[in-house]
Structures are given as C-alpha cells and as structure tokens.
C-alpha cells in the first residue's frame, strides 16, 4: 500500500520507519526541503493547502494520515472525498477547537475542569466569577506547546489577558490543582478492535513535555481506558489516539486529545512490544493490532533546543537514542531518548542520568 | 555520518532502518534497481566491482560496511585504502575461504570437525580414509545456502563428487552427528568493548535456515563466548560477527563465521533490547554498545519462496512481521516473522502457528 502523510517531521519519520517492515510505501507532503521524514518516501514538496500537490497525494496514496491535528478543514474534506483519511476528519474537526472538544467530552460523560467560551471581555469577567482563580485562557484554535495561552491569577489581569488574545474566539478553563498529568494511547481498527497502552505519566516544563514514564500498573488505567473508549466509539475512530488527562485526587479530568501518535508514547518504541507507530499503521491498514505490553521499566526524555551528545546518551546503561535530524534551535524538540530495563534500580538511575543530560543540553 | 553499504538486500535494509534514529545517512551500492534497501539512502546503481562507483562510495561514505562476505579482495583493498571498511578486510579474507577459515579456527584452539584440503580426486580418496563417512565436500569459496556442496556417503561416490566440484579448490569435512546447531552473535568496538547476544538455536531444511530460537539461558553460552572472543581479538574485529557452531554432546565445534549481521539474529529486533543491526552500527561508529539482553521468549521464522499473508501472520498473538519488499521466487527468503512473549506457553503456541504458516507458504 501507499500511505500518504501530511507532515514530514519526527512523527512521520517514526511512522515510516515502522512501516518499512510491513512493506508500506510512503508519500509525504511537507513544505520543508529537508524535513526529517522526506528521505523515507516520495516527497511532495509544498504547502499543506497546495491543491495540486493534494491532488497528487490523493492519487498516489491509498490511505492518508497526518502527524499534526491542525490540518485545514477543507484539506481534510478534499482528502476524504478523494481517498481515505485516517484518523477520520471528524476527529480533526473536534480536536482543532478546544471548545468543541470540551463540549464533546461532556456529551460523552468524560469529566473536565470547568470551562466557558469567551468571545469578549464581558464573557471573561462573567465566567471568572464562577470558575475562580487561577484559570487559563486559551484561543480555541491552533494552540501548541504553550503558545496562545495566558494564566489568570486575579481579576486585574483580565483586560490585559483578553487584549492579548487579539479577539480570537477563546475558552477559559479553571485550573484544578492536579497531582499529575497522564495520557492514554489507544489504537482502533475499522471494525472496532481496540488496544490500549499502559498510561504514560508526563512531566512538562515551559509548556513542553520533558519526561514520559510508562506506568505499567496504575490504579487509574481502567478509568482512562473507559474514557478513551467512549471517545473512540463516538468518533468511529481508526488509528492511534492520545487522550491527556489530569489526575485530581484519583479522579481523571480530560485535558485534550490528539488524533495521532504522540510524544508521550515514544517510550513504546523500545519499551512496548509493539510501538505506537506500528500500531497506528496496523490500525489504519486494518491489520491485527500488536501487543501493547510494556517490556520492563521504561520512560522517555525529550531533548529540547540543544542536540544531545550521542556518546554521552548511549553510555547510560539501557539508553536508546532517537535523533530527528533537525537543526537545533531554541525550544525545538530535536531528539528523544528512552530507558528500558528489567531492573527497577538500574532504571531509576539511568533515567536520572538521562534527565540530567537533557537539562544540560536544553537552552530554554 | 555517511555509511556505505555493499549490497542493498534485506540485511542492508534492516541496518539502515536501525541507523535512522542515530541520524545516520546511507549510500548503498547494489546492482538491483529495486533492491529492498535502496530507497533508504543514496543508491549507487551498478556492479560491486564498478571502480567508478566504488570511487564515489569511498568519497561519500565515512565508513563502508557490507551485507555479504563475498566482497572481492581487490574491492576490499580499494575501500581499505580510500576509506574505512568495517568489519576489517582480514575478516573477509578468512571467511571467504573455508580452508583458511578452518585453519584459522585451529590456530585459535577453536575445535572443528576433521577436515582436509582437496585439490584432486587423489586428495579426496586419501582424506576419506582418515575422515570416514559420512562427510561433505565443499568448494573453498562462494558457498551459500547449500549450493556447491556434495554429501559423501561411500567411497563409490568420490569420483562423481569430485567431478561435480569442477576442479574448484575444495575442502572435505567429516560429518559429526550433532544434537543441534547454534550461533553466537557478538559486537565489538574498535577499542575492544564486546557484547554477546544469547545463543540462537537454528533449524535448517534444504540447506536454508528456517527457525532461530533465542536461548536466553544455555549451558554452552560461556563456551561460545570464549570461542567468538578469540576470533574477534585475532581479527581485531569491529562490528557484528556471527559464529555458527555444532553442539556435539555438549562440546562446541565451529562450523563457520559470517563477518556481518546474520539471519539467525533477526529475533533481536523485537526480542532483544538492542537489535544486532543497531549494535553493528554502534560498533562501527565506535559508540557504546546497547544491551543485548533478551526480552522474554523469542524466536524467528523465515518465509522462503512464497509471501506470507500479512493478516494471517499478525493475528498470531505476539507475532511481528518483516517483509523484504522482494518478489517471491523459489528458495528466496522474502520475509521473516518473530514471536516475543513473556509467557512460555503462549510463546510455544504462537511459534508453532508461525512455523505452520511458513511451511504452507514455502514452495520448496
């Protein structure tokens, strides 16, 4: 089969690497001449809304998938009309708009933090009387890694915060003190077969994911599976999905979902029997899903801004490195590394060493 | 770094797939327009002794490696003179000639079956008086998967057998009844750091490897490590090596070695923490070697001659498939699949199912 991918960054790269053993061929649309994945298939070099290239993509690819959720609605519509797009366009539509997404969670009885739509300063002032401080205002669309968000700590901030949103349709969300953020990654085939990975426990800093640890046994696994199952079924979903959740005293509140493979699941390459990338492909190709079982203790650490020293990473016992072949610049994810060990003590020690290396190479 | 590979078949393909995460780039010399690995790097399309292409390869690649041991001596010499070739040319020289190889084993006190050089019918008749039947006569060079070999069962066969060798310098080897064939795969860095995989226990049929099972705990592991260590040191070896051994009542006799990644180590992709392909790259790049630990019960099954049905393979619990993107033809390896499971019973059952599928698709 020929699989089209919108986007040629590290996620597309890892999808394509997982696809070669299944004899899949790839057509990758990306505006970057040297994006990390483009050497792994046929590169359609241009903008995501270039209709000529989209026509070529639809012609070449049996199935189109994507590595980012901000695929323009008319692009998704065009691809749906002319080829098969997985995950389905409905998942894009819902996940692209934080308000639609939160309402969707509510319809499915998936709890969230309190939220309200904001289209004016008045909306914001009124909503904050109910939601209380601290809270966070976000544009409904195009939020990514902490951009387009303002934390609200007091009523004096509201006018400034709203002004900084530049009239973008927004949403305000109550900031519930949570113990941790977790994500559940699941894969679903067209017929409904679903596989769940063990929860990832995620640590952020500066709005960017830094560490994701596999929680092979977690008291909230079952609740997370129940939430994501409702989402998968309501969307008649095909492919890998990621649902981010806050653990608030043992109750899970949904934050957002990504209709794609996810940074918090990169530990699955070495740490699970079948990676999220391979299971995404198996799902969209309607092939039996692979075992999602964790293999020992495992976690992933991101390298942001600065390149890791390969030798330094690989000399940490049980470390595995994934370079994205990107030029380093401030705040940019350039690599990740994982630890996988059967020995709990060795795992902790290696993970600690890896985190120290990642912090040293981070320029932010 | 840019890594050159002589040969663009499935071994090169799996090396390149393992190299992308380490941000390696590949230049692949192969006469086939659509060899399985050529999409993964720059393809130098031509014969292995095309001096113009070899010049380009030496110019482009920082290190050249190979996926087959029959690299012509003058090609190895040229590459040694103009770039870096790993594993070293000496390993090629020894492994290309069965007599040199067996003599080398003896110099290193690595036991073998009895053998004798054969250059005439008289040599053969004389040798067989000592070696006894059954035995096997093989050409000293270019033997592969059972071609160029005659089994000798009685003295009446000798004239015919020698005639069929067409005057090729040959070797006769006593056929010692062995309980099993095992192989040990090891990786060595330039400074001498060595990592050993658990033994593979190999089953052949028709001179072709069919099944390789990882022996996580084996009473002969230590003896095999001792033998391969002597070989690695004597060759001042860099990269992955494979030593095939016969288990004769608990004593290991060396059969042959391959100066490369090996079919009997394909289970390491899912079944070991670091695959033989990644460790080959780490070794030749002089990077710390990754853990060779097995992850549960694991084995590999080859698909020969006929393509497996992807759906059928992947629905076997814990099965993983590796298609080589080759056209199927009689006796040709077109794919392999692995089983990896923590559960011994499930492992046995899945492996059995996989073997049945492989036998059904085999045309030989």
């Amino acid at each position: 089969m020929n699989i089209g991918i919108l986007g040629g960054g590290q996620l597309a790269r890892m999808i394509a690497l997982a696809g070669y053993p299944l004899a899949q061929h790839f057509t990758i649309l990306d505006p970057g001449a040297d994006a990390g994945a483009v050497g792994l298939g046929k590169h359609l070099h241009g903008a995501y809304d270039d209709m000529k290239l989209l026509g070529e993509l639809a012609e070449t690819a049996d199935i189109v998938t994507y590595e980012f959720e901000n695929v323009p609605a008319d692009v998704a519509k065009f691809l749906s009309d002319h080829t098969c797009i997985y995950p389905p366009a409905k998942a894009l539509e819902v996940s692209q708009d934080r308000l639609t997404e939160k309402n969707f969670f509510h319809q499915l009885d998936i709890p969230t933090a309190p939220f309200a739509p904001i289209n004016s300063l008045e909306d914001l002032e009124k909503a904050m009387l109910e939601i209380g401080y601290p809270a966070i205002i976000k544009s409904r669309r195009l939020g990514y890694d902490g951009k387009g968000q303002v934390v609200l700590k007091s009523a004096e901030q509201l006018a400034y915060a709203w002004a900084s949103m530049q009239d973008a349709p927004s949403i305000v969300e109550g900031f519930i003190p949570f113990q941790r953020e977790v994500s559940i990654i699941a894969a679903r085939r067209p017929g409904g077969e679903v596989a769940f990975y063990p929860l990832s426990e995620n640590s952020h800093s500066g709005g960017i994911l830094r560490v994701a640890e596999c929680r092979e046994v977690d008291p909230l696994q079952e609740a997370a599976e129940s939430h994501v199952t409702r989402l998968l079924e309501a969307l008649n979903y095909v492919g890998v999905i990621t649902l981010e959740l806050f653990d608030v005293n043992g109750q899970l509140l949904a934050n957002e979902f990504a209709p794609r493979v996810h940074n918090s699941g990169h530990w699955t390459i070495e740490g699970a029997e079948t990676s999220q990338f391979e299971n995404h492909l198996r799902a969209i190709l309607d092939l039996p899903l692979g075992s999602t079982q964790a293999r020992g203790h495992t976690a992933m650490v991101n390298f942001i801004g600065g390149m890791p020293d390969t030798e330094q990473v690989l000399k940490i016992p049980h470390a595995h490195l994934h370079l994205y072949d990107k030029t380093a610049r401030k705040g940019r994810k350039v690599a990740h590394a994982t630890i996988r060990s059967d020995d709990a003590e060795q795992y902790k020690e290696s993970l600690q060493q890896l985190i120290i290396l990642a912090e040293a190479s981070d320029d932010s």
Side-chain angles (χ1 to χ4, degrees), chain A:
Chain A
M1 297 273 259
N2 194 297
I3 295 175
I5 312 181
L6 293 171
Q10 64 265 24
L11 299 182
R13 179 174 165 101
M14 291 185 272
I15 290 170
L17 288 172
Y20 267 75
L22 297 173
Q24 300 307 307
H25 294 247
F26 294 90
T27 306
I28 295 160
L29 176 57
D30 192 288
D34 55 359
V38 300
L40 291 163
K42 180 179 177 183
H43 183 198
L44 301 179
H45 186 191
Y48 295 122
D49 57 358
D50 180 319
M51 291 315 292
K52 190 166 159 290
L53 291 181
L54 286 168
E56 197 175 336
L57 183 64
E59 184 103 346
T60 314
D62 303 293
I63 299 167
V64 174
T65 190
Y66 41 86
E67 62 159 10
F68 57 90
E69 56 270 44
N70 295 310
V71 176
D74 53 347
V75 170
K77 169 102 178 59
F78 175 86
L79 292 169
S80 297
D81 289 348
H82 292 82
T83 181
C84 173
I85 181 166
Y86 280 148
K90 171 81 175 168
L92 287 170
E93 187 193 316
V94 175
S95 67
Q96 280 173 4
D97 184 316
R98 291 178 197 279
L99 181 63
T100 310
E101 186 181 32
K102 286 287 197 298
N103 284 328
F104 200 73
F105 286 146
H106 269 209
Q107 284 163 31
L108 300 173
D109 281 328
I110 301 173
T112 66
F115 66 90
I118 304 297
N119 294 302
S120 66
L121 180 56
E122 292 67 41
D123 284 352
L124 183 58
E125 286 168 343
K126 201 172 147 198
M128 286 311 296
L129 295 175
E130 290 227 348
I131 288 175
Y133 298 91
I136 188 161
I137 183 166
K138 302 172 175 174
S139 62
R140 283 171 57 178
R141 296 187 157 267
L142 269 177
Y144 190 64
D145 281 351
K147 292 160 200 154
Q149 308 190 348
V150 183
V151 174
L152 307 171
K153 290 184 182 158
S154 69
E156 290 81 64
Q157 274 181 292
L158 297 188
Y160 169 79
W162 175 244
S164 79
M165 298 312 288
Q166 300 180 297
D167 285 326
S170 298
I171 183 174
V172 68
E173 298 170 15
F175 189 82
I176 306 284
F178 57 83
Q179 280 76 49
R180 55 188 186 137
E181 194 211 277
V182 295
S183 54
I184 182 153
I185 295 178
R188 185 176 186 270
R189 288 175 73 181
E193 186 195 339
V194 178
F196 306 99
Y197 284 94
L199 289 184
S200 296
E201 187 172 317
N202 307 326
S203 311
H204 293 79
S205 151
I208 304 176
L209 180 68
R210 304 289 164 155
V211 179
E213 273 198 85
C214 166
R215 295 275 306 161
E216 198 176 349
V217 177
D218 195 287
L220 298 182
Q221 180 74 30
E222 204 180 310
E225 289 185 8
S226 159
H227 291 342
V228 78
T229 298
R230 266 170 281 159
L231 198 54
L232 288 167
E233 287 174 0
L235 293 165
N236 197 19
Y237 198 88
V238 175
V240 156
I241 199 169
T242 309
L243 175 61
E244 290 181 22
L245 301 146
F246 297 125
D247 174 1
V248 182
N249 306 316
Q251 200 210 357
L252 289 175
L253 301 185
N255 178 30
E256 59 183 22
F257 76 91
R260 56 170 169 80
V261 291
H262 195 262
N263 196 172
S264 65
H266 289 0
W267 58 264
T268 62
I269 299 179
E270 286 87 15
E273 184 175 315
T274 313
S275 78
Q276 62 167 343
F277 303 100
E278 180 172 343
N279 264 335
H280 180 62
L281 290 169
R282 292 201 197 191
I284 69 175
L285 290 162
D286 200 12
L287 290 169
L289 301 174
S291 165
T292 51
Q293 202 182 319
R295 298 189 281 199
H297 305 280
T298 182
M300 180 232 49
V301 175
N302 273 333
F303 284 83
I304 316 282
M307 292 300 290
D309 180 288
T310 298
E311 168 96 26
Q312 293 290 105
V313 172
L314 296 184
K315 84 180 187 195
I316 298 174
H318 302 282
H320 300 270
L321 181 60
H322 296 261
L323 296 162
Y324 303 155
D325 241 343
K326 291 160 84 171
T327 312
R329 64 167 184 254
K330 193 173 167 60
R332 192 180 208 202
K333 288 175 193 164
V334 291
H336 76 263
T338 58
I339 301 292
R340 188 226 73 89
S341 176
D342 293 326
D343 181 288
E345 285 310 306
Q346 178 64 66
Y347 162 73
K348 276 186 211 165
E349 196 182 310
S350 287
L351 180 57
Q352 206 42 48
Q353 288 179 46
L354 192 55
I355 290 171
I356 290 167
L357 269 192
E359 284 172 354
S361 79
D362 183 357
D363 63 350
S364 60

